[in-house]
Amino acid sequence: MAFDLMEVTDEPLLTLLRVGRIQAPESLAATDILIADGRIAALGQDIEVPTDWPVRVVEARDLIAVPAFIDQHVHVTGGGGEGGCGNRCPEITAEEIASMGIATVVGVLGTDSISRSPADLLAKVRGLRAEGIAAYMYTGAYRFPPPTLTGDVQRDLAWIPEVLGLGELAISDHRSSQPRQDEIERLVSEVRVGAMLAGKLGICHFHLGDGKRGLEPLRRLLAETEIPADQVIPTHVNRHRALLEEAADYALRFDACVDVTAFDEVGEEDISAFEAVSFLLARGVPAERITMSSDCNGSLPEFDAKGTYLGMRVARNTALIADWQRLVHEKVLPLEQALGLIAGNVARVLGLHAGKGRLAVGFDADITLLDGDFQPQQTFVAGKCVYRVN
C-alpha cells in the first residue's frame, strides 16, 4: 500500500541549514549543512535536495555555524544548602541552557547530597533529554565515600548510560570530607575500571577549594600511581592567583587538562575565566589542555576566616559565553582554537569526541548559530532547533 511519508510524521526527516560561514572548528568552504537522523549527513555549497523529499530548509546566511557548546559542570538540580534549606539553588531549565548556545551539559551534585541525590540528578538529566538537551551526569558529590545510584561506583558507570564519571569530589576545601591520599587513589582506580567495563573514558572531576593543599593530592596521584592524567580533571583552578599558578605548572608537568570556571561575579580573590585562560596561555599551557565551564545554578557562598557562612549567590551560565566572546574579540585566541575551550576540548575530556565537538559528516548535529558578535542566535541538538532568538 502506497503512502505519503509526510502524512505519518509531523517533522521533516531532513533539515538543511544554509549559513554564511562554517567553523568546524576550522573554517570550511562549505556553507550548507544537511542533517538526517540527528547527524550531519553532508557539508557543501548549494546542496540540492529533491523537492519531494521531506526536508526543512533553514535560511541563516547572516550567521556562523559552530559546534554547539558543551558545559561539563552544571548543577542541573540546583546547588547550595550551605546556609540551610532556605538557601538551596533552583534547578536549571532547558531554555536557560540552550539560550547560551549550549547543547550538552554534565550534571553534578555539590555540597548537598542529602536533600538531593544521584537519583534526583539522573531524573533531571533524563528530563532535560526529553526536552532536547544532550544531558549527562557524574555519580558522586563532594563527600567521600561518594553517594551512588547502584551502591557501587563501578556499577554506576557500567550500567547507567548517562553516567560519564565521578564528580565533583571536593578536595582542599573545608566542605570536603578530607579524603586521605590512599582513599583518593582507590576511588579513582575504581572509576577507571568501571569506565573500562562500560567503554567510557571515566572522568574524575575534582572540585578545588581555596585550601592550602591546592593541587597536591592530584600531583601525588599522577606522580605515584599509574593513573593517566586525562582521567583526572581539576576544576575551579582560578579561585586565586596561587592556585592558578599551580594549575599551570600541573598542566605542563603532567600534560594534563585543567578546567577554568566562568565566575559571573568575580570576588576579591577569584580570577575571571578570561584572565585565567590568558594567564595559562602566557605560561605556555597549550590551548588544547584548557577547558571552561560555568558551575551554573550552583551556590557561590561566602565564609569568614573561621568558616562561618555569611551568604551566597546563585551562579549563572551567562559569564561562560561572555568570557569566551572576550577571548575571541580581544584576539587572545583565534576563533578556531577558542571554540575548543567550550566545545572540542571538552568533548575530548569527556570521551564524547567521536560524535561531538566538531562539525563533520557522521557527527551529532549539535550546532550553534552565532551572529557577528558571536552571540548565540539558534541552537540545534541532534538536528532539532531547541532555541531561537525571536
Side-chain angles (χ1 to χ4, degrees):
M1 177 179 177
F3 62 93
D4 184 348
L5 190 59
M6 291 302 289
E7 291 180 356
V8 298
T9 176
D10 294 330
E11 287 289 327
L13 297 182
L14 304 173
T15 299
L16 178 60
L17 300 184
R18 300 192 187 277
V19 299
R21 177 171 139 213
I22 297 176
Q23 292 283 158
E26 68 276 9
S27 183
L28 300 183
T31 55
D32 291 356
I33 306 172
L34 182 63
I35 300 168
D37 194 28
R39 296 181 180 273
I40 297 174
L43 296 163
Q45 287 185 317
D46 300 320
I47 293 176
E48 297 265 346
V49 178
T51 56
D52 59 344
W53 281 21
V55 60
R56 174 194 291 114
V57 178
V58 178
E59 294 287 351
R61 295 295 190 184
D62 57 338
L63 300 179
I64 307 166
V66 301
F69 306 147
I70 304 171
D71 193 347
Q72 66 178 304
H73 190 114
V74 181
H75 291 272
V76 295
T77 57
E82 290 94 341
C85 293
N87 299 102
R88 301 195 336 156
C89 300
E91 294 187 359
I92 196 168
T93 67
E95 182 177 3
E96 288 171 319
I97 294 168
S99 67
M100 292 295 106
I102 298 166
T104 303
V105 295
V106 184
V108 300
L109 292 178
T111 310
D112 179 12
S113 57
I114 301 301
S115 69
R116 295 181 172 95
S117 70
D120 297 324
L121 182 56
L122 178 59
K124 178 64 176 180
V125 162
R126 290 182 174 174
L128 288 172
R129 285 183 169 231
E131 294 182 86
I133 303 298
Y136 299 87
M137 65 177 282
Y138 298 116
T139 191
Y142 270 26
R143 63 189 171 105
F144 180 90
T148 64
L149 289 156
T150 65
D152 181 84
V153 166
Q154 286 195 19
R155 283 198 291 267
D156 278 13
L157 279 155
W159 302 134
I160 311 298
E162 294 87 351
V163 174
L164 295 181
L166 175 81
E168 54 174 317
L169 184 68
I171 58 173
S172 302
D173 194 306
H174 65 92
R175 294 167 292 174
S176 161
S177 293
Q178 315 303 325
R180 301 189 310 267
Q181 188 67 31
D182 64 312
E183 291 173 328
I184 293 174
E185 293 173 5
R186 179 62 59 85
L187 184 56
V188 174
S189 300
E190 290 286 308
V191 172
R192 178 163 180 77
V193 173
M196 292 172 67
L197 296 175
K200 301 173 182 176
L201 187 57
I203 293 304
C204 292
H205 195 72
F206 281 92
H207 162 104
L208 266 294
D210 57 7
K212 61 183 180 182
R213 287 182 296 170
L215 282 159
E216 182 59 24
L218 302 188
R219 287 175 173 274
R220 288 188 58 187
L221 173 71
L222 298 183
E224 298 173 8
T225 74
E226 291 72 41
I227 295 295
D230 284 349
Q231 193 184 346
V232 181
I233 305 299
T235 191
H236 313 323
V237 298
N238 49 322
R239 283 197 184 278
H240 54 75
R241 180 66 61 177
L243 182 59
L244 186 59
E245 290 176 352
E246 188 181 5
D249 181 72
Y250 168 89
L252 291 168
R253 178 180 174 186
F254 296 105
D255 192 24
C257 290
V258 293
D259 185 54
V260 168
T261 301
F263 299 113
D264 61 348
E265 290 186 29
V266 179
E268 292 183 5
E269 294 192 355
D270 299 331
I271 301 167
S272 74
F274 169 81
E275 294 172 324
V277 171
S278 301
F279 175 86
L280 291 170
L281 293 169
R283 284 287 304 271
V285 178
E288 294 73 23
R289 288 295 175 183
I290 306 171
T291 59
M292 296 169 62
S293 62
S294 71
D295 197 20
C296 68
N297 285 63
S299 65
L300 300 174
E302 295 182 31
F303 302 93
D304 64 18
K306 296 181 179 180
T308 302
Y309 173 81
L310 300 176
M312 60 162 258
R313 294 178 288 107
V314 179
R316 300 171 297 170
N317 59 9
T318 51
L320 177 64
I321 307 308
D323 280 332
W324 176 80
Q325 289 168 335
R326 187 179 172 193
L327 288 166
V328 181
H329 285 312
E330 298 192 17
K331 302 186 185 306
V332 175
L333 282 171
L335 179 58
E336 177 177 338
Q337 284 188 295
L339 284 168
L341 301 176
I342 55 175
N345 298 357
V346 191
R348 188 190 70 247
V349 161
L350 297 173
L352 300 176
H353 54 289
K356 298 183 184 295
R358 66 178 289 105
L359 303 183
V361 173
F363 272 60
D364 294 347
D366 295 351
I367 304 164
T368 294
L369 302 185
L370 305 175
D371 64 16
D373 290 325
F374 307 117
Q375 188 65 29
Q377 300 298 304
Q378 297 184 47
T379 306
F380 292 81
V381 185
K384 294 184 178 180
C385 184
V386 295
Y387 176 79
R388 174 196 290 265
V389 172
N390 294 326

